[in-house]
C-alpha cells in the first residue's frame, strides 16, 4: 500500500482547498478585529466568505471567492475560462459577478482572492505585469477586459451592466499552500501579544477554538427568517471574537507562563540550577500525564485540589510554604512515575493562584 500510487486523490485536494478557504477567511476576520471595526462574517454562505463591515444600514457588504492554485499565475483568460458542464455562470469571473446581479451595485466589492498573483496589463501601462494588491477589472487594459466581458456575456445572456466592472476585483493573499495554517497562527500570535505578552502561550488553543467557531458557521444553506437569525446560525462577529479573548483572559496560566516566578523562588531558596531543571522536568511530566488522562496523575490532582480547598494557602506569598502546608493533608507520593508529589503540588498551586 505504501509503494503504490493511490487512484483517488480528489478528496485530499478538495479538503486542502476548503481548509485554505477557511483559513484565509479567518485571517480576514482577524484583520478586521485588529482594526477595531464592527463586522459580521459569513462562511460559505452565498460565497466562500461574505462580510458586512460597519453597523446597520451604513455597513459595507463584500463577497469573496477564494481560489487556491498551484499554477504560476492567474490571467484574464484563466478567470474567464468556462467549464463545459454545470449551470450558469460557468466562469470564475461570472460566479463573482453573480453576487452583483443578486444584490445590486450598492455592495462594496465582489472579489476573487488567491495565493497566486494576477498577470495583467493595466489600462495605464504598456506591458503585462504581476499584481499583488487588490485590482479592479475596470483598471485593466481593453484586451484583458474584453476577455472577461465576453465570458460574462455568455454567463448572463439576459445582459449585464458593464459599469459594475469597478466592483469586480482580484487580490493576491500572502498565504502559501504549504504553510497557510502557520501564517494564520502567526497572525494570532501577533494579535494576542498586542493584548498581553503572556497570552502568546495560548496562541495554538486560540487558533483551534477560532477554527472550530468558523467550522460551526460553515455551509448552512437553510434560509433565515431574519438577519438576527442568520447572524446567530452562520456568522462570526466582533462580539464572538471578543468572547474568545475573554476566555484567554479568564483562563489559568500554563507552566510556560508561571515557571519563571517558581524558578526565581527556588533559586532564592538556595537550590542549584540543575536541581531546578529537574523539578521543572517533573512538573512538565505531571502536566503531560494529567493531560493524557493518566490514572495516577488524575487521582493526585483531585486530592491536591481538595487539600487546596481545605488549607489556608491562598494568602501565602511562597509556593514552597504552600507546598509544606499541603503535605499535612494526607497526600502521598505517587509510585513509579516521572513526577513526584512536590512537582504535582507546585503545578496545582500555581494554576489555582493564577
Amino acid at each position: 500500500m505504501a509503494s503504490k500510487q493511490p487512484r483517488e486523490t480528489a478528496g485530499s485536494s478538495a479538503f486542502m482547498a476548503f481548509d485554505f478557504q477557511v483559513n484565509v477567511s479567518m485571517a480576514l476576520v482577524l484583520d478586521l478585529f485588529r482594526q477595531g471595526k464592527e463586522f459580521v462574517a459569513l462562511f460559505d454562505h452565498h460565497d466562500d466568505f461574505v462580510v458586512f463591515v460597519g453597523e446597520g444600514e451604513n455597513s459595507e457588504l463584500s463577497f469573496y471567492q477564494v481560489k487556491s492554485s498551484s499554477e504560476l499565475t492567474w490571467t484574464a483568460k484563466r478567470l474567464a475560462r468556462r467549464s463545459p458542464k454545470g449551470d450558469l455562470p460557468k466562469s470564475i469571473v461570472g460566479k463573482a459577478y453573480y453576487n452583483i446581479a443578486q444584490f445590486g451595485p450598492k455592495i462594496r466589492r465582489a472579489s476573487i482572492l488567491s495565493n497566486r498573483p494576477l498577470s495583467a496589463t493595466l489600462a495605464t501601462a504598456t506591458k503585462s505585469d504581476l499584481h499583488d494588491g487588490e485590482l479592479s477589472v475596470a483598471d485593466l487594459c481593453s484586451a484583458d477586459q474584453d476577455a472577461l466581458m465576453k465570458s460574462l456575456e455568455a454567463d448572463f445572456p439576459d445582459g449585464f451592466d458593464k459599469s459594475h466592472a469597478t466592483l469586480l476585483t482580484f487580490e493576491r493573499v500572502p498565504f502559501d499552500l504549504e504553510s497557510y495554517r502557520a501564517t494564520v497562527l502567526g497572525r494570532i500570535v501577533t494579535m494576542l501579544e498586542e493584548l498581553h505578552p503572556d497570552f502568546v502561550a495560548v496562541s495554538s488553543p486560540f487558533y483551534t477554538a477560532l477554527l472550530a467557531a468558523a467550522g460551526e458557521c460553515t455551509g448552512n444553506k437553510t434560509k433565515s427568517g431574519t438577519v438576527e437569525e442568520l447572524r446567530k446560525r452562520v456568522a462570526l462577529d466582533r462580539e464572538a471574537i471578543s468572547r474568545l479573548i475573554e476566555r484567554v483572559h479568564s483562563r489559568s496560566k500554563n507552566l510556560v507562563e508561571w515557571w519563571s516566578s517558581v524558578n526565581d523562588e527556588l533559586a532564592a531558596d538556595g537550590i542549584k540550577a540543575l536541581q531546578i531543571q529537574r523539578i521543572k522536568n517533573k512538573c512538565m511530566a505531571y502536566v503531560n500525564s494529567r493531560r493524557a488522562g493518566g490514572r495516577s496523575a488524575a487521582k493526585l490532582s483531585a486530592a491536591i485540589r481538595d487539600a487546596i480547598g481545605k488549607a489556608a494557602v491562598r494568602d501565602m506569598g511562597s509556593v514552597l510554604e504552600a507546598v509544606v502546608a499541603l503535605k499535612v493533608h494526607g497526600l502521598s507520593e505517587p509510585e513509579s512515575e516521572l513526577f513526584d508529589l512536590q512537582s504535582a503540588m507546585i503545578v496545582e498551586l500555581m494554576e489555582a493562584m493564577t
Side-chain angles (χ1 to χ4, degrees):
M1 285 186 67
S3 64
K4 291 185 180 296
Q5 180 71 25
R7 176 188 61 82
E8 181 57 70
T9 58
S12 60
S13 298
F15 175 80
M16 188 196 72
F18 179 73
D19 193 56
F20 179 82
Q21 168 192 318
V22 172
N23 276 270
V24 168
S25 302
M26 283 165 46
L28 291 172
V29 165
L30 292 172
D31 287 344
L32 291 170
F33 185 86
R34 289 182 65 197
Q35 292 165 14
K37 295 181 178 179
E38 293 293 332
F39 64 88
V40 178
L42 308 176
F43 295 78
D44 201 24
H45 194 82
H46 288 293
D47 214 329
D48 293 337
F49 181 67
V50 181
V51 62
F52 294 86
V53 179
E55 296 184 80
E57 295 180 357
N58 295 322
S59 62
E60 295 181 341
L61 176 59
S62 295
F63 294 84
Y64 295 95
Q65 190 179 155
V66 182
K67 292 293 180 185
S68 57
S69 176
S70 58
E71 293 189 37
L72 201 58
T73 59
W74 289 95
T75 62
K77 289 183 178 180
R78 278 193 68 198
L79 295 176
R81 188 182 300 161
R82 301 169 52 72
S83 170
K85 298 180 180 179
D87 299 329
L88 296 176
K90 295 186 176 183
S91 67
I92 293 174
V93 69
K95 290 174 181 176
Y97 183 85
Y98 179 82
N99 294 310
I100 301 174
Q102 287 286 302
F103 295 94
K106 291 185 178 181
I107 70 172
R108 175 64 180 83
R109 63 172 63 79
S111 187
I112 300 164
L113 301 180
S114 180
N115 59 304
R116 302 303 306 167
L118 176 67
S119 177
T121 304
L122 298 182
T124 56
T126 57
K127 61 180 182 178
S128 178
D129 204 353
L130 297 179
H131 301 280
D132 279 354
E134 187 175 22
L135 190 66
S136 171
V137 167
D139 296 328
L140 303 180
C141 70
S142 57
D144 284 337
Q145 283 198 45
D146 287 346
L148 296 169
M149 295 305 165
K150 286 180 181 178
S151 186
L152 288 171
E153 287 172 356
D155 277 333
F156 298 90
D158 294 333
F160 71 98
D161 193 333
K162 292 184 179 180
S163 67
H164 295 164
T166 55
L167 303 177
L168 282 168
T169 68
F170 179 94
E171 183 178 358
R172 177 186 173 268
V173 288
F175 291 86
D176 185 87
L177 285 183
E178 301 299 323
S179 59
Y180 55 86
R181 282 185 166 229
T183 305
V184 177
L185 182 58
R187 293 195 180 195
I188 289 174
V189 169
T190 300
M191 183 188 75
L192 294 180
E193 189 173 33
E194 289 172 352
L195 295 171
H196 195 287
D198 285 350
F199 293 173
V200 174
V202 293
S203 297
S204 183
F206 186 93
Y207 169 83
T208 302
L210 182 59
L211 184 63
E216 290 173 1
C217 297
T218 298
N220 191 323
K221 306 299 184 184
T222 306
K223 288 185 178 180
S224 301
T226 65
V227 172
E228 192 58 33
E229 183 182 331
L230 175 72
R231 184 171 184 161
K232 288 180 179 178
R233 196 178 67 250
V234 297
L236 272 182
D237 56 15
R238 184 171 189 84
E239 183 181 342
I241 305 301
S242 295
R243 286 197 297 268
L244 287 177
I245 299 291
E246 288 173 8
R247 285 166 59 184
V248 172
H249 274 278
S250 62
R251 87 198 196 289
S252 296
K253 290 186 178 181
N254 61 35
L255 188 148
V256 173
E257 295 169 280
W258 53 250
W259 177 256
S260 60
S261 60
V262 173
N263 185 93
D264 292 344
E265 185 177 338
L266 294 173
D269 199 50
I271 301 175
K272 300 299 183 182
L274 284 177
Q275 183 59 25
I276 291 176
Q277 185 60 47
R278 292 188 186 99
I279 295 172
K280 182 180 181 181
N281 291 344
K282 290 179 180 180
C283 287
M284 293 172 66
Y286 173 72
V287 169
N288 291 335
S289 179
R290 189 185 57 181
R291 184 189 298 121
R295 182 177 299 179
S296 177
K299 184 177 179 180
L300 186 55
S301 176
I304 294 172
R305 282 182 294 190
D306 183 61
I308 290 174
K310 296 175 181 177
V313 297
R314 293 188 178 274
D315 295 328
M316 293 182 178
S318 164
V319 69
L320 297 180
E321 290 178 9
V323 164
V324 173
L326 287 181
K327 284 184 177 180
V328 302
H329 287 269
L331 300 172
S332 56
E333 286 285 347
E335 296 182 3
S336 303
E337 296 289 352
L338 296 175
F339 55 87
D340 58 14
L341 178 59
Q342 181 192 45
S343 60
M345 287 191 291
I346 289 174
V347 170
E348 297 291 348
L349 282 164
M350 293 304 295
E351 290 182 349
M353 301 308 153
T354 60

